[in-house]
Amino acid sequence: MKLVRYGPKGKERPGLLDAEGRLRDLSGVVPDIQGPVLKRLLPRLTRLNPTRLPLVPGRPRLGPCVGGVGKFVCIGLNYKDHAEETGAAYPKEPVVFLKATSAISGPYDPIVIPRGSQKTDWEVELGVVIGRTARYISEAEALEYVAGYCVVNDVSERAFQLERGGQWDKGKSCDSFGPIGPYLVTRDEVPDPQNLRLWLEVDGRRYQNGHTREMIFSVAQLVSYVSQFMSLHPGDIIATGTPAGVGLGQKPEPVYLRPGQVVRLGVEGLGEQRHRVVAEED
């Protein structure tokens, strides 16, 4: 099932798409699609008849597909071709960092180039949404703790990330740098997360064309691994890394985003995002 959150920023309501792709209001069933609600909602969805839910008129804005995210965990260098294009060695263990939850935005909201940025970049990724509290879980049981999947754009400012010292987080956490959605697609609709194509284009030019089977560490490995170091709670998100084709890796020179450009990206079966690039207002 495809779950959504729709409405003005900060006032999103829960919804879902029915079999005909029409938006239905879920607010009579749950107050929102977020952490603790996910654990209660997912079993109820199997008994829910979407045609009995109210239709939502018009074409409202779609917000982030999960609200109240507690942790936005990201995995770096998880595709061999991406590690190669950046000149990095393949990691022996997953590279884990956190993106600030204040970076989260909707699937069609603008990407805002922050003040002082010259190297704002793109990264299409498969996002994993946690559905049950996970702590010290095994790889074999890891997918049972997944609520579903979504598209993530791990927008990155490379100078902030790589040239300003310290950790990566400050190049990953600017406002608008974490679009998620359009949908939270429940786990039952994604039988194998290692069998999904993902892509990204800027102004109609395809830069990224990847496949999740090329991950160095699988979704199950990542969920298990992260749970050894921190508790994962319902509504937490793990962004699982990006394939080759980021702006930093373009030859003969890197290519970065500029105001006025349009970024489109998608993951097979999980929908597409579309963002206009704008400059930060003074």
Side-chain angles (χ1 to χ4, degrees):
M1 193 165 285
K2 294 181 174 65
L3 304 176
V4 301
R5 298 172 69 250
Y6 68 93
K9 186 175 182 179
K11 298 181 179 179
E12 291 92 349
R13 297 165 63 93
L16 60 78
L17 296 188
D18 64 20
E20 285 73 44
R22 296 174 298 184
L23 180 57
R24 301 273 182 171
D25 181 37
L26 258 179
S27 57
V29 180
V30 289
D32 198 358
I33 297 169
Q34 60 176 325
V37 172
L38 279 173
K39 188 174 180 179
R40 302 195 310 268
L41 174 61
L42 296 178
R44 295 180 67 181
L45 289 177
T46 61
R47 305 188 299 270
L48 194 65
N49 183 351
T51 62
R52 294 184 178 177
L53 298 173
L55 279 168
V56 178
R59 299 184 65 184
R61 167 188 174 270
L62 293 185
C65 60
V66 182
V69 175
K71 289 190 287 297
F72 199 157
V73 182
C74 298
I75 307 299
L77 303 173
N78 195 33
Y79 287 73
K80 291 181 179 179
D81 58 1
H82 176 54
E84 289 166 358
E85 74 176 345
T86 62
Y90 299 163
K92 293 184 171 136
E93 294 191 32
V95 176
V96 178
F97 62 95
L98 297 177
K99 184 186 283 278
T101 56
S102 55
I104 292 173
S105 61
Y108 309 117
D109 292 343
I111 291 173
V112 182
I113 296 180
R115 295 178 189 177
S117 168
Q118 299 294 321
K119 298 181 179 181
T120 297
D121 203 348
W122 57 81
E123 294 189 12
V124 60
E125 307 201 7
L126 170 66
V128 179
V129 181
I130 301 301
R132 297 165 49 198
T133 299
R135 189 166 180 260
Y136 297 118
I137 61 171
S138 69
E139 180 183 336
E141 64 183 334
L143 295 186
E144 298 174 15
Y145 289 79
V146 173
Y149 303 91
C150 66
V151 182
V152 171
N153 188 356
D154 178 20
V155 186
S156 308
E157 211 300 335
R158 300 303 186 188
F160 297 178
Q161 176 191 357
L162 302 172
E163 300 170 21
R164 299 284 295 272
Q167 304 299 311
W168 288 0
D169 302 47
K170 62 180 176 281
K172 297 283 190 170
S173 295
C174 302
D175 292 352
S176 82
F177 273 24
I180 60 172
Y183 320 122
L184 165 54
V185 180
T186 52
R187 190 182 72 208
D188 58 293
E189 292 199 12
V190 186
D192 182 3
Q194 305 310 139
N195 190 30
L196 302 172
R197 296 189 178 278
L198 61 169
W199 57 272
L200 181 145
E201 62 187 34
V202 180
D203 287 345
R205 175 178 171 180
R206 185 67 59 95
Y207 282 95
Q208 291 188 277
N209 244 333
H211 199 286
T212 57
R213 65 171 171 250
E214 303 301 330
M215 286 182 181
I216 297 172
F217 304 102
S218 70
V219 169
Q221 288 175 307
L222 293 174
V223 174
S224 172
Y225 183 85
V226 174
S227 80
Q228 310 304 310
F229 302 97
M230 64 189 82
S231 295
L232 293 170
H233 298 114
D236 287 351
I237 295 172
I238 300 176
T240 56
T242 197
V246 300
L248 174 67
Q250 299 303 306
K251 301 292 188 283
E253 297 290 337
V255 176
Y256 297 113
L257 293 172
R258 304 184 306 275
Q261 292 185 307
V262 174
V263 181
R264 291 181 63 240
L265 60 148
V267 178
E268 184 178 358
L270 306 185
E272 299 181 7
Q273 297 182 2
R274 184 182 186 278
H275 308 282
R276 182 165 291 279
V277 182
V278 301
E280 177 79 58
E281 295 181 1
D282 294 330

